[in-house]
Amino acid sequence: MTTVYLLIAVTAAALLIRGFWETWSLQTTHVHIGDRGQSDPLRVVLFSDLHAEHLRLKSSRIITEIKQAAPDVVVFAGDLTARMSRLAKALEFMRQIRESEYGRPVLFLAVPGNHDTPEALQALAETGFLVLENETALYRHNS
């Protein structure tokens, strides 16, 4: 019986540590689609699940990653926060991302996540992101 309790305690501790670590970590994945010989490919940065109530990353860290990618388009794929009491923190984070200088014109898009309220999406639009809800946006690369 003691072994079972020890196993439960170790598993619970591991899950807590992982959950705490995720609020500090930033995972990036680079995907190339299409012709590798293309002289000026379309560069898109997509990020999601900000969840400001748990966020421990500084916006400068994400901005640095975005700048290194030299994007044409930045897409936020939802979930600013699950708690409206933390919306101001999430919006300030997004405002800093939107207002940073990227050295080229960048289109900022957002689509709602399952935790995003209409009020949060309206506030996000006010930071300069084009919020798309069941709609599309046309982007002409190199034109």
Side-chain angles (χ1 to χ4, degrees), residues 4-78:
V4 171
Y5 289 130
L6 180 60
L7 182 59
I8 291 171
V10 168
T11 302
L15 290 172
L16 284 171
I17 290 169
R18 182 175 187 267
F20 182 76
W21 175 252
E22 282 186 356
T23 65
W24 292 91
S25 66
L26 177 64
Q27 178 183 353
T28 59
T29 304
H30 300 269
V31 177
H32 182 88
I33 300 172
D35 182 14
R36 290 199 179 269
Q38 188 176 358
S39 62
D40 189 20
L42 176 67
R43 294 177 177 262
V44 177
V45 168
L46 181 136
F47 68 106
S48 67
D49 298 291
L50 190 61
H51 291 287
E53 65 273 15
H54 303 295
L55 187 66
R56 301 292 181 261
L57 286 171
K58 299 213 180 288
S59 60
S60 60
R61 184 159 172 221
I62 292 179
I63 290 167
T64 298
E65 289 285 331
I66 293 172
K67 285 181 178 182
Q68 287 176 353
D72 299 296
V73 181
V74 172
V75 180
F76 175 65

